[in-house]
Amino acid sequence: NGIRTYTCNDCSEMKEEIIEKNNNHTFTSWNVTKSPSCTAKGTEIRTCSTCKQEETRDVPETGHTLGDWEITTQPTCENKGKQTKNCSKCSYKETKEIDATGHNFAEWQIIKSPSCTEEGTQSRKCNDCPKTETKTIQPNGHSYDSNWTIDVKATCTTTGSKSHHCLNCDSKTDLTNIAPTGHNFGE
């Protein structure tokens, strides 16, 4: 606010008048003087068309505009992969790991069948990489028949033998003598 003084041209009398300052500017549109980026503020300015007073203000940063995830390194059975999102306005990118896929093994295949007393072997191969696993198959053990088998038939004067035979190999158990039958003379 201000005071303006007037003097009469005829009598020299003085008069004071209070003048209010008018703050109603007529500003132009905002003009960008520094463009904002993804991570840095920008600035804008506008000017009063009457008095040329200027106002400045910050323009907020725009933030990143990230695209979709794109695989940049494929994961494998044993190694992690990577995927990336890129900002379409700057060089910023986000990267994250993709877990290894793990092996995709086929069914076990018998390489050597086990016997009653010897180990066997089986293996399986990953469908996605050269990895092969091999493991031992324990021996089956004997499976003896519950019925007796006559190994040597007893005769009148000689002892015979009988045993239980393994159903899968030539092994015998419970070897038992059969007494001679004795002579059977007719009358």
Side-chain angles (χ1 to χ4, degrees), residues 33-91:
T33 56
K34 178 184 173 190
S35 294
S37 69
C38 296
T39 57
K41 292 179 181 178
T43 53
E44 293 180 315
I45 192 169
R46 68 181 182 171
T47 307
C48 176
S49 58
T50 306
C51 70
K52 305 302 180 205
Q53 178 177 332
E54 293 182 340
E55 284 187 352
T56 304
R57 70 177 180 186
D58 288 336
V59 179
E61 57 271 1
T62 60
H64 295 294
T65 303
L66 297 173
D68 294 330
W69 287 108
E70 294 180 23
I71 295 176
T72 53
T73 304
Q74 285 288 348
T76 64
C77 297
E78 297 177 347
N79 298 315
K80 293 181 178 186
K82 283 186 186 175
Q83 56 185 348
T84 304
K85 277 185 184 182
N86 294 316
C87 178
S88 62
K89 299 182 292 186
C90 72
S91 62

Side-chain angles (χ1 to χ4, degrees), residues 134-162:
T134 303
K135 71 178 181 179
T136 300
I137 305 170
Q138 294 302 312
N140 295 326
H142 295 293
S143 178
Y144 292 106
D145 191 348
S146 59
N147 296 316
W148 289 100
T149 299
I150 305 296
D151 298 315
V152 177
K153 190 173 182 177
T155 66
C156 298
T157 58
T158 59
T159 302
S161 65
K162 65 180 179 177

Side-chain angles (χ1 to χ4, degrees), residues 2 7 12 26 71 74 84 88 90 100-101 106 115 126 128-130 136 138 146 151 164 177:
T7 305
S12 300
T26 305
I71 295 176
Q74 285 288 348
T84 304
S88 62
C90 72
T101 59
S115 69
C126 179
D128 301 325
C129 77
T136 300
Q138 294 302 312
S146 59
D151 298 315
H164 289 111
N177 288 332

